[in-house]
Amino acid sequence: MKKVLGVDIGGTKIRIGVVNEQGEVLVDKTIPTVLPLYPYLEEQVLAMKNDVPDIAGVGIGTRGMVDAETGVITFEKEMPGWQGTPVKALLEAATGLPVEINNDANCAALAEARLGAAAGFNQVVCLTVGTKLGGGIVLDGKVMNGKNGGGGEVGHLILYPNGIVCGCGRPGCSEEYVSGTAIKRLIQEGNVINEETNELAKPHDVFRLAANGHTGAIAVRERFLSDFAIVISSLQAVLDMDCVVIGGGVSDSADFWWEELLAKVEPLKLKPVQVSRATFGNEAGMLGAAMLVIDSTK
């Protein structure tokens, strides 16, 4: 059975593993992200190739925007030197193996569509709600990359014209309202105090507090979920997807807000759509990266 290397590159750590065609992880390790990134990445991939010489290819998921066809990082401002790197060409020359690279949220979406919560669906949107809002779109088994590698940038849909200025420089982007950062801002604006600690509530506590009847926390939950439902509804109007998968760090607290989100989505739906919690956690990016190269070497 074919084995490939899946690599998930984050701002602080890199997860790298050997994955087979069934999505089984045979080797799995996490290492710190070191800059400059490319020489370090090549060193780590070659070391893994030496340990597992029969790998058939390398799949990479990375933060930032990627031209999936050329394998060049087209936009990434927080890892100096990474933007503009022709990763595919360099790593194929170094390893002699086929290399595929894509955005990390796209890879997570591919993992969910192929192996996880959206298996069996054809039109899939995966929303990753963490510090910011990431998205990946998989249509008929293929990642929708867009012309310039910016397909699926759900966090940069304008939700509130002339609203809060996003890190991208534009005002009102969705990720300023549907994200961990947004929850933290809402807590501060509402001065939501956790009476257990007499301090401002933490984002990971606010939904539990809301479930227990905390008035300020309920207001945060209502604002966050109302905005989240609008994002899902807007995506459906454009894509008519049959499944939405929700993951990311904020979804760890979904036991406290999932039913309320579904209730807010229901009246905004144009057609039936399945809304599901992600199957995978932090391993999604690595698995999806592996699926990229498995698909390309069939």
Side-chain angles (χ1 to χ4, degrees), residues 36-90:
L37 182 52
Y38 179 76
Y40 177 69
L41 173 66
E42 180 180 303
E43 176 187 325
Q44 296 299 320
V45 169
L46 288 174
M48 187 67 85
K49 182 174 181 283
N50 184 62
D51 292 341
V52 188
D54 58 340
I55 59 173
V58 182
I60 299 171
T62 178
R63 57 185 294 165
M65 294 185 188
V66 180
D67 184 325
E69 186 172 341
T70 64
V72 176
I73 311 301
T74 59
F75 183 84
E76 168 47 51
K77 294 299 186 184
E78 296 183 31
M79 292 194 293
W82 192 228
Q83 181 172 311
T85 304
V87 179
K88 177 179 172 71
L90 291 173

Side-chain angles (χ1 to χ4, degrees), residues 219-256:
V220 170
R221 183 187 67 193
E222 291 302 297
R223 180 74 270 159
F224 171 77
L225 294 180
S226 293
D227 288 341
F228 201 170
I230 291 170
V231 169
I232 293 170
S233 175
S234 298
L235 288 168
Q236 186 186 38
V238 175
L239 297 168
D240 192 23
M241 62 279 188
D242 50 7
C243 185
V244 178
V245 178
I246 297 171
V250 173
S251 69
D252 291 345
S253 62
D255 285 348
F256 295 110

Side-chain angles (χ1 to χ4, degrees), residues 168-247:
C168 74
R170 302 182 307 153
C173 287
S174 297
E175 67 177 31
E176 296 302 320
Y177 300 90
V178 182
S179 63
T181 299
I183 294 168
K184 184 175 181 179
R185 173 180 55 79
L186 290 169
I187 290 169
Q188 292 170 341
E189 289 177 352
N191 194 34
V192 180
I193 301 298
N194 182 346
E195 295 169 359
E196 300 164 3
T197 63
N198 289 321
E199 297 177 342
L200 276 176
K202 304 296 185 184
H204 63 266
D205 287 329
V206 73
F207 295 109
R208 175 180 59 81
L209 295 174
N212 291 335
H214 189 299
T215 304
I218 289 172
V220 170
R221 183 187 67 193
E222 291 302 297
R223 180 74 270 159
F224 171 77
L225 294 180
S226 293
D227 288 341
F228 201 170
I230 291 170
V231 169
I232 293 170
S233 175
S234 298
L235 288 168
Q236 186 186 38
V238 175
L239 297 168
D240 192 23
M241 62 279 188
D242 50 7
C243 185
V244 178
V245 178
I246 297 171

Side-chain angles (χ1 to χ4, degrees), residues 8-10 60-64 66 102-109 128 135 284-285:
D8 181 27
I9 300 171
I60 299 171
T62 178
R63 57 185 294 165
V66 180
N102 212 309
N103 168 265
D104 52 3
N106 287 341
C107 289
T128 305

